[in-house]
């Protein structure tokens, strides 16, 4: 049974006073002194007055502030962050409680204002990106076909040039530039018009192995070792093998580009509860701490020739599988990306 706090405060005092009166009464009766009976009545009256005064003091000093605080909390629950405790100026513990409450409300108000500003900025950024994505997709689609024709012509010209011709250097540069433009267009189209993953139960070890093999072809002439550690006995993972390879190849190429000179990249597959995890760790330059929070944003890049869409696409594909991607990095020592995919994908197939 719940007892009101006033009773909890008054009852011990009243009990002590009553005990004292009973003891006094026993002494008075035992002595059969009529004079002391008057004193007994005065004592009883004094005890009642003390309890009454104590009750009034408690109600004024504690009950009213608590009732006010309860009312303010109710207003706060409805979202009203303008509430304030009026008893915060008191120079006692109750006043300290009021000051703490007012400070808490002030901090909540500041936090909500910051969240509102960030939400507004994110909505504006999302609208901007949506418009930019539609525009980019349209432009990329219009450029893609003519560019394919240009690439074909350049390829034919290269076949006609003698091996000793000085123009072959120019031809190689032109071919590389066209390939770079084609990659940018492909990234823009993939980002603006993503397709849902076609998830099927499969061997994640095999999917990762194919991505690692493609990455190894990029460093045949460089002193970089790419190691793969498979997970033994890994259960089938529902995933879109082509999309997951795209994610891992992007992470691997970033890792290779982050290494100046000799270095290693370790790819590890393992089981983590309901997830299958693939980590890509390198011994490269690492990522500036100020950039970590932005690396998954579309069009953010620290590369001179990058599109800033690779990691954004990787994150979108991973989340499309119902998974998540995490990153940790130490400047000068390297970075580690971890892709976690659920064994049973939440994404719809078909």
């Amino acid at each position: 049974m719940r007892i009101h706090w006033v009773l909890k405060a008054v009852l011990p005092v009243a009990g002590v006073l009553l005990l004292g009166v009973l003891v006094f009464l026993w002494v008075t009766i035992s002595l059969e002194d009529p004079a002391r009976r008057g004193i007994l009545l005065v004592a009883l009256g004094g005890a009642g007055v003390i309890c009454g005064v104590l009750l009034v003091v408690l109600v004024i000093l504690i009950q009213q502030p608590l009732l006010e605080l309860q009312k303010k909390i109710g207003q706060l629950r409805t979202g009203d962050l303008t509430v304030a405790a009026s008893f915060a100026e008191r120079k006692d513990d109750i006043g300290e409680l009021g000051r703490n409450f007012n400070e808490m409300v002030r901090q909540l108000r500041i936090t909500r204002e910051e969240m509102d500003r960030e939400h507004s900025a994110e909505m504006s950024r999302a609208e901007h990106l949506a418009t930019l994505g539609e525009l980019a997709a349209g432009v990329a689609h219009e450029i893609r076909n003519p560019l394919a024709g240009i690439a074909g012509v350049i390829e034919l010209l290269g076949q006609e040039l003698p091996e000793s011709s000085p123009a072959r250097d120019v031809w190689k540069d032109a071919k590389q530039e066209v390939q770079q433009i084609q990659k940018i267009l492909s990234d823009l189209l993939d980002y603006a018009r993503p397709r849902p993953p076609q998830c099927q139960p499969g061997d994640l070890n095999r999917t990762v192995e194919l991505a690692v093999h493609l990455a190894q072809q990029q460093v045949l002439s460089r002193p970089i070792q790419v190691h793969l550690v498979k997970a033994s006995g890994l259960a089938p993972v529902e995933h879109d093998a082509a999309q997951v390879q795209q994610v891992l190849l992007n992470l691997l190429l970033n890792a290779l580009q982050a290494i100046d000179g000799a270095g290693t990249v370790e790819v590890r597959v393992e089981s983590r509860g309901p997830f299958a995890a693939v980590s890509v760790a390198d011994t490269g330059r690492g990522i500036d701490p100020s950039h970590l929070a932005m690396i998954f944003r579309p069009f953010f890049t620290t590369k001179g020739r990058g599109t800033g869409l690779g990691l954004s696409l990787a994150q979108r594909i991973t989340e499309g599988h119902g998974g998540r991607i995490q990153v940790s990095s130490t400047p000068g020592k390297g970075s580690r990306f971890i892709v976690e995919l659920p064994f049973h994908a939440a994404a719809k197939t078909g």
Side-chain angles (χ1 to χ4, degrees), residues 142-217:
E142 293 297 327
I143 294 176
R144 211 173 193 183
N145 291 337
L147 187 64
I150 295 172
V153 171
I154 291 177
E155 189 66 33
L156 290 174
L157 289 175
Q159 295 175 5
E160 298 293 332
L161 289 174
E163 289 294 333
S164 59
S165 174
R168 291 195 68 85
D169 291 336
V170 178
W171 170 77
K172 290 180 181 178
D173 291 340
K175 185 177 179 180
Q176 289 178 354
E177 292 299 328
V178 169
Q179 290 173 345
Q180 175 68 10
I181 296 173
Q182 288 177 325
K183 182 180 183 306
I184 293 173
L185 293 177
S186 296
D187 285 349
L188 284 173
L189 287 172
D190 288 342
Y191 183 78
R193 298 175 181 173
R195 68 170 180 85
Q198 310 295 314
C199 294
Q200 298 291 336
D203 184 358
L204 185 62
N205 281 320
R206 177 59 178 165
T207 300
V208 176
E209 186 177 31
L210 292 174
V212 170
H213 177 72
L214 291 174
Q216 288 172 334
Q217 306 307 307

Side-chain angles (χ1 to χ4, degrees), residues 24-69:
F24 185 71
L25 177 62
W26 179 78
V27 173
T28 301
I29 293 175
S30 64
L31 295 176
E32 297 182 354
D33 188 349
R36 292 193 176 183
R37 291 174 183 169
I39 297 175
L40 174 61
L41 294 176
V42 173
L44 289 173
V49 170
I50 292 174
C51 289
V53 171
L54 178 62
L55 181 62
V56 171
V57 171
L58 289 175
V59 168
I60 295 175
L61 295 182
I62 299 178
Q63 173 78 356
Q64 289 182 351
L66 288 180
L67 289 175
E68 179 186 345
L69 187 61

Side-chain angles (χ1 to χ4, degrees), residues 233-254:
L234 186 70
V237 180
E238 293 183 6
H239 66 290
D240 185 318
Q243 287 193 352
V244 172
Q245 284 179 24
Q246 181 181 353
V247 170
L248 297 176
L249 188 58
N250 184 282
L251 297 179
L252 284 164
L253 293 179
N254 285 348

Side-chain angles (χ1 to χ4, degrees), residues 309-322:
L309 291 173
L311 288 177
S312 180
L313 283 169
Q315 185 182 54
R316 174 179 287 185
I317 291 173
T318 303
E319 292 178 350
H321 281 72

